[in-house]
Amino acid sequence: DTAVSQTPKYLVTQMGNDKSIKCEQNLGHDTMYWYKQDSKKFLKIMFSYNNKELIINETVPNRFSPKSPDKAHLNLHINSLELGDSAVYFCASSQDLLETQYFGPGTRLLVL
Amino acid sequence: AQSVSQHNHHVILSEAASLELGCNYSYGGTVNLFWYVQYPGQHLQLLLKYFSGDPLVKGIKGFEAEFIKSKFSFNLRKPSVQWSDTAEYFCAVNPLTYSGGGADGLTFGKGTHLIIQP
């Protein structure tokens, strides 16, 4: 009965590789998000996706691309991984842009 | 753009001590306010939220927070902490405007690492 789920939980990969992280929510929410948590635990929004409208944080490199096959899924694809991409990535969802956000368990990405 | 300040990055308390974690935000308009907790190795969980109404809100696990509009503050309190409260605590703000607001996602403070000593 997990509300927001992410796969994989851990991801270890080499620099230059391309990887994807999947997110699914079963809450019937209209809005989904990706956040990045750095080594100092600082959380920052990367993307929000609401009613097929994608809002991108301008500081996110274009190597990162979210893909939403349907309302319940928002996957994150990362091209040409760099060392600085190592972080924990959290998916979240909410009923709309202003309501409470519910977070997934996170994906810990380590780029070697 | 809005910002959120959490005054204490690390707090160490003994069990049964009282807790107050400070949170201030900078945004001139109306906001929704949240406190999230992240236990070691786990995801963020909502502790409590303020949207409107009574500025003193109660959350889970005995936590409460008070919204003071004039001070742009939303401090988190608990009268008696337990060892199991050891975690990272995040204050977050979501401004109520559709002209770019909300779509920016939550703005988080940098977190307060709380350690409760038995």
Side-chain angles (χ1 to χ4, degrees):
Chain A
D1 60 343
T2 304
V4 184
S5 59
Q6 296 178 227
T7 55
K9 192 172 181 180
Y10 299 96
L11 185 53
V12 182
T13 188
Q14 300 286 334
M15 269 199 316
N17 284 350
D18 302 339
K19 290 293 178 185
S20 292
I21 306 172
K22 295 185 177 182
C23 177
E24 177 180 1
Q25 54 96 3
N26 62 8
L27 297 168
H29 287 165
D30 288 333
T31 310
M32 296 183 74
Y33 312 81
W34 278 105
Y35 287 86
K36 179 180 180 181
Q37 186 177 44
D38 63 22
S39 58
K40 295 183 179 179
K41 299 283 189 178
F42 185 49
L43 274 154
K44 195 166 185 181
I45 182 75
M46 299 177 72
F47 306 99
S48 62
Y49 200 88
N50 178 62
N51 287 333
K52 301 184 180 180
E53 183 184 7
L54 176 66
I55 310 296
I56 302 172
N57 183 321
E58 60 187 13
T59 66
V60 176
N62 57 15
R63 298 181 294 103
F64 290 79
S65 55
K67 297 192 192 310
S68 181
D70 55 58
K71 203 173 76 165
H73 297 84
L74 183 65
N75 303 327
L76 182 65
H77 189 74
I78 316 170
N79 289 327
S80 302
L81 278 155
E82 299 178 358
L83 293 176
D85 297 333
S86 296
V88 182
Y89 292 84
F90 287 99
C91 177
S93 74
S94 62
Q95 186 55 52
D96 61 40
L97 289 166
L98 298 174
E99 288 296 323
T100 302
Q101 294 180 24
Y102 295 87
F103 285 78
T107 295
R108 190 173 295 274
L109 171 66
L110 179 60
V111 182
L112 302 174
Chain B
Q2 64 273 11
S3 65
V4 179
S5 297
Q6 291 183 238
H7 314 303
N8 310 101
H9 295 301
H10 292 91
V11 173
I12 301 175
L13 294 172
S14 298
E15 276 194 314
S18 64
L19 169 72
E20 181 159 2
L21 301 182
C23 173
N24 285 88
Y25 65 93
S26 65
Y27 181 73
T30 305
V31 293
N32 287 344
L33 296 156
F34 305 83
W35 275 97
Y36 282 88
V37 61
Q38 187 177 26
Y39 297 105
Q42 296 190 27
H43 63 287
L44 284 96
Q45 301 172 45
L46 181 69
L47 266 182
L48 48 76
K49 63 185 179 185
Y50 174 80
F51 283 11
S52 65
D54 188 344
L56 183 62
V57 291
K58 295 192 183 298
I60 60 171
K61 304 187 181 188
F63 286 91
E64 65 179 30
E66 185 175 13
F67 170 52
I68 303 179
K69 189 174 181 180
S70 60
K71 295 185 178 181
F72 298 91
S73 70
F74 190 55
N75 292 355
L76 181 71
R77 299 195 290 250
K78 185 170 184 178
S80 177
V81 293
Q82 302 171 307
W83 176 79
S84 58
D85 292 325
T86 294
E88 196 85 21
Y89 290 81
F90 294 93
C91 181
V93 165
N94 199 356
L96 268 70
T97 170
Y98 282 101
S99 55
D104 293 336
L106 290 172
T107 298
F108 282 89
K110 293 195 173 182
T112 297
H113 187 198
L114 175 65
I115 297 174
I116 306 301
Q117 296 175 329

